[in-house]
Amino acid sequence: MVCMLGCRRACAEAAEGGCGRVAGAGRGDPGVIMKKHEFFVDMTCEGCSNAVTRVLNKLGVQFDIDLPNKKVFIESDQSWEVLIECLKRTGKEVQYVGEK
């Protein structure tokens, strides 16, 4: 089982650098509850938002980026802690705003 960020770690190793998401896990499960989370990400340009897009596409989640307001909205069954660690891989300052 491989982390979807390509770090080659299993989901259980999320605290040590994995993204917490194993390829194929949780998709299509009828009992999975998708939550929408809001994050502040210190994006100043389109390059910044492209970095966020690359990381979140690898994670396989639904998301919207509001570049002028520096907000990222993510719909996922993952915890906000896992999502924030993935966003931090962009090198940008990231803060969790809350659940929507």
Side-chain angles (χ1 to χ4, degrees):
M1 294 168 50
V2 177
C3 161
M4 291 186 70
L5 287 179
C7 68
R8 308 270 183 231
R9 295 179 187 221
C11 189
E13 294 181 40
E16 296 187 20
C19 73
R21 180 69 143 141
V22 175
R27 293 207 181 135
D29 294 344
V32 174
I33 297 172
M34 303 294 277
K35 295 181 180 178
K36 192 166 190 176
H37 301 278
E38 181 179 345
F39 295 88
F40 168 84
V41 182
D42 192 20
M43 302 174 287
T44 57
C45 65
E46 200 169 312
C48 297
S49 66
N50 288 341
V52 170
T53 297
R54 281 191 299 277
V55 169
L56 294 178
N57 279 339
K58 289 179 182 178
L59 189 57
V61 296
Q62 299 282 331
F63 63 93
D64 292 307
I65 297 174
D66 179 357
L67 181 56
N69 293 311
K70 301 182 178 188
K71 300 285 182 162
V72 178
F73 302 92
I74 304 172
E75 189 171 344
S76 174
D77 61 341
Q78 295 292 313
S79 70
W80 70 268
E81 294 95 345
V82 169
L83 298 173
I84 201 169
E85 289 305 314
C86 290
L87 286 170
K88 285 180 179 179
R89 290 179 175 270
T90 64
K92 301 295 174 191
E93 176 189 344
V94 181
Q95 297 173 2
Y96 182 60
V97 176
E99 192 175 322
K100 287 298 200 186

